[in-house]
């Protein structure tokens, strides 16, 4: 509890545990029942967002310890990341998740290369 691991301290704010657990069941459920599973994924993700908006405020000690600005950036990034994974997984095929991760990685690399080259021309 007293360790300095930022990811563990901020994980309750960005990792939708119940929704991701239900997503792990999708390959084992028949296609005709996927709609019900999708409903529960949406319900549990909404529960995660509700708790995020209720609990995420500057007075939280783990946000203060990690730095408020860094915490906001990290929580926002990973919430968008996990929302993308959930939306990609809704059709029930894992190819969409892989495509989401591949395109996200390649676009991130492209942006980082652009920023690196821009910084070198300024210096």
């Amino acid at each position: 509890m007293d360790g300095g691991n930022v990811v563990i301290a901020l994980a309750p704010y960005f990792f939708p545990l119940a929704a991701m657990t239900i997503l792990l069941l999708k390959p084992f459920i028949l296609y005709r029942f996927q709609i019900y599973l999708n409903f529960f994924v949406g319900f549990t993700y909404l529960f995660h967002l509700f708790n995020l908006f209720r609990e995420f405020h500057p007075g939280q000690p783990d946000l203060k310890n990690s730095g408020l600005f860094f915490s906001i950036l990290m929580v926002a990034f990973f919430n968008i990341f996990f929302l993308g994974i959930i939306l990609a997984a809704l059709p029930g095929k894992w190819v969409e998740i892989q495509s989401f991760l591949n395109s996200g990685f390649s676009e991130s690399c492209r942006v980082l290369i652009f920023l690196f080259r821009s910084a070198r021309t300024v210096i």
Side-chain angles (χ1 to χ4, degrees):
M1 295 290 292
D2 294 332
N5 193 337
V6 175
V7 175
I8 292 175
L10 296 179
Y13 300 111
F14 65 76
F15 187 71
L17 180 63
M20 298 304 284
T21 304
I22 293 172
L23 281 181
L24 291 175
L25 299 174
K26 283 184 77 76
F28 306 107
I29 305 298
L30 294 174
Y31 182 74
R32 65 178 179 225
F33 298 117
Q34 293 281 329
I35 188 79
Y36 302 111
L37 206 63
N38 289 344
F39 170 78
F40 286 115
V41 168
F43 181 78
T44 55
Y45 189 72
L46 185 61
F47 178 74
H48 164 74
L49 289 179
F50 175 76
N51 284 325
L52 171 68
F53 289 122
R54 189 177 59 160
E55 298 293 329
F56 193 83
H57 56 80
Q60 290 286 35
D62 45 1
L63 300 179
K64 288 179 183 178
N65 293 342
S66 303
L68 188 60
F69 182 71
F70 176 75
S71 297
I72 290 171
L73 289 178
M74 187 169 175
V75 168
F77 172 79
F78 279 111
N79 269 294
I80 293 169
F81 175 76
F82 285 114
L83 177 61
I85 288 178
I86 289 171
L87 291 175
L90 287 181
K93 298 181 178 129
W94 299 109
V95 175
E96 284 88 0
I97 295 174
Q98 183 180 6
S99 175
F100 168 75
L101 294 174
N102 287 340
S103 64
F105 180 75
S106 65
E107 288 298 314
S108 297
C109 288
R110 188 179 64 78
V111 168
L112 288 174
I113 290 170
F114 171 76
L115 291 174
F116 180 72
R117 287 182 181 162
S118 298
R120 284 183 52 186
T121 59
V122 171
I123 296 174

